[in-house]
């Protein structure tokens, strides 16, 4: 049976953030109603119910997950905070709490925003595929906890229980309202700190436009079914074809 537009309800944990807000806006366009869970509120929109709370608090999560069958988890402390205990509490314990709350609430699908850095070992990766192993020596605490977080979510995929999971791994995300990537580069350039070359000047880095990242998340969510090969798998995501929904 086809779900009528408007009757689709999902939750976005971290929906007040840069990626989260773009995801929420696209979900609304596609006829979903959205339960937004975040520690802070950054905007209001028709079709969005805001629930303020810390994702480490299962009771708070449960009220946001009521009548929701699909959950996107794109909350994380900022990598720049470099606060090991905070990353461990939110990205590891908090993700365990998210999974438990999903199971308790009868959620059927969980889509995690992971990171391409989970396979970055400090040396060049060109055309890296998903069969690369997790980094043995992650570059920072943030990445270390993103690895643990991704493993937790993918291992929680359980077809008999009707709980399906998938992870999307973007690298640097840019686009409207980007609070970090481009502003940091522009700021460094203004302060004259971009006058050096890393390597021989041919190095490449993978930045992905935010709408492509959103597109990847929604495709993953809408193809996540018990008979789908994407269950329990991570996917790198980058710019390629223009976005067409
Ligand atoms: P962001 O900081 O703009 O958004 C993160 C949101 O999570 C914020 O609104 C914040 O309030 C919320 N949050 C943090 N701790 C929370 C908690 N304990 N409980 C509830 N909400 C909490 O970051 P973003 O750039 O939108 O990143 C979204 C996701 O994408 C993150 O998982 C991040 O690891 C991943 N990611 C981002 C990039 C990038 O370049 N921005 C690259 C790769 C992966």
């Amino acid at each position: 049976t086809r779900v009528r537009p408007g009757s689709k309800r999902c939750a976005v944990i971290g929906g007040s953030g840069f990626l989260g807000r773009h995801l929420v806006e696209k979900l609304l366009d596609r006829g979903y109603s959205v339960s937004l869970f975040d520690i802070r509120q950054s905007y209001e929109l028709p079709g969005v119910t805001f629930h303020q709370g810390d994702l480490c608090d299962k009771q708070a999560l449960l009220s946001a997950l009521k009548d929701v069958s699909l959950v996107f988890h794109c909350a994380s402390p900022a990598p720049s905070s470099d606060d090991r205990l905070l990353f461990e509490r939110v990205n590891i314990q908090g993700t365990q709490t998210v999974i438990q709350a999903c199971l308790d609430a009868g959620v059927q699908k969980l889509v995690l925003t992971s990171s391409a850095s989970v396979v970055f070992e400090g040396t060049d990766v060109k055309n890296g595929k998903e069969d690369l192993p997790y980094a043995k020596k992650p570059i920072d605490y943030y990445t270390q906890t993103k690895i643990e977080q991704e493993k937790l979510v993918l291992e929680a995929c359980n077809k008999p229980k009707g709980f399906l999971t998938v992870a999307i791994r973007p690298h640097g995300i840019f686009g409207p309202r980007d609070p970090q990537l481009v502003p940091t580069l522009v700021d460094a350039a203004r302060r004259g700190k971009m006058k050096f070359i890393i390597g021989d000047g041919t190095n490449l880095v993978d930045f992905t436009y935010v709408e492509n990242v959103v597109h990847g998340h929604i495709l993953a969510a809408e193809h996540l079914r018990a008979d789908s090969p994407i269950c329990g798998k991570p996917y790198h995501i980058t710019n390629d074809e223009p976005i067409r929904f």
Side-chain angles (χ1 to χ4, degrees), residues 9 21 33 36 69 96 110 129 137 142 145 147 190:
R9 187 155 180 76
R21 181 171 175 182
S33 67
L36 191 168
S69 61
Q96 272 165 333
L110 173 61
K129 301 252 162 48
K137 288 189 193 134
Y142 163 77
T145 61
I147 292 175
R190 285 216 174 98

Side-chain angles (χ1 to χ4, degrees), residues 62 65 97-107 156 158 161-163:
L62 283 174
L65 300 189
T97 309
V98 168
I99 293 167
Q100 199 50 55
C102 285
L103 292 170
D104 290 0
V107 167
N158 187 327
K161 270 194 191 164
F163 183 58

Side-chain angles (χ1 to χ4, degrees), residues 14 16-20 37-40 53-55 74-77 90 113-115 142 146 170-173:
S16 297
F18 167 50
L19 173 63
F37 185 91
D38 206 296
I39 34 173
R40 64 185 178 112
D54 186 322
L55 62 81
C74 57
S76 170
V90 177
T113 314
S114 181
S115 167
Y142 163 77
K146 291 296 282 185
H171 189 234
I173 309 173

Side-chain angles (χ1 to χ4, degrees), residues 65-207:
L65 300 189
K66 207 167 166 289
D67 300 324
V68 162
S69 61
L70 164 64
V71 172
F72 295 91
H73 174 7
C74 57
S76 170
S80 55
S81 71
D82 206 29
D83 181 337
R84 194 183 80 179
L85 292 179
L86 180 66
F87 290 139
E88 285 176 354
R89 190 179 72 81
V90 177
N91 288 350
I92 303 180
Q93 284 118 25
T95 297
Q96 272 165 333
T97 309
V98 168
I99 293 167
Q100 199 50 55
C102 285
L103 292 170
D104 290 0
V107 167
Q108 287 150 16
K109 303 180 191 185
L110 173 61
V111 180
L112 172 73
T113 314
S114 181
S115 167
S117 62
V118 300
V119 297
F120 182 58
E121 203 69 77
T123 49
D124 290 352
V125 177
K126 200 173 174 191
N127 298 326
K129 301 252 162 48
E130 290 79 2
D131 56 6
L132 285 168
Y134 287 115
K136 284 191 201 66
K137 288 189 193 134
I139 47 167
D140 52 19
Y141 294 129
Y142 163 77
T143 307
Q144 198 175 323
T145 61
K146 291 296 282 185
I147 292 175
E148 294 310 316
Q149 173 189 55
E150 187 187 279
K151 286 184 184 167
L152 285 168
V153 168
L154 298 182
E155 282 164 13
C157 189
N158 187 327
K159 291 184 193 179
K161 270 194 191 164
F163 183 58
L164 307 178
T165 64
V166 65
I168 299 296
R169 294 175 175 170
H171 189 234
I173 309 173
F174 69 96
R177 302 188 299 256
D178 160 22
Q180 215 175 325
L181 184 78
V182 174
T184 308
L185 289 177
V186 170
D187 185 52
R190 285 216 174 98
R191 288 185 288 117
K193 297 203 166 171
M194 297 276 271
K195 294 177 183 163
F196 57 86
I197 293 178
I198 302 170
D200 63 3
T202 58
N203 283 12
L204 297 173
V205 66
D206 179 26
F207 295 136

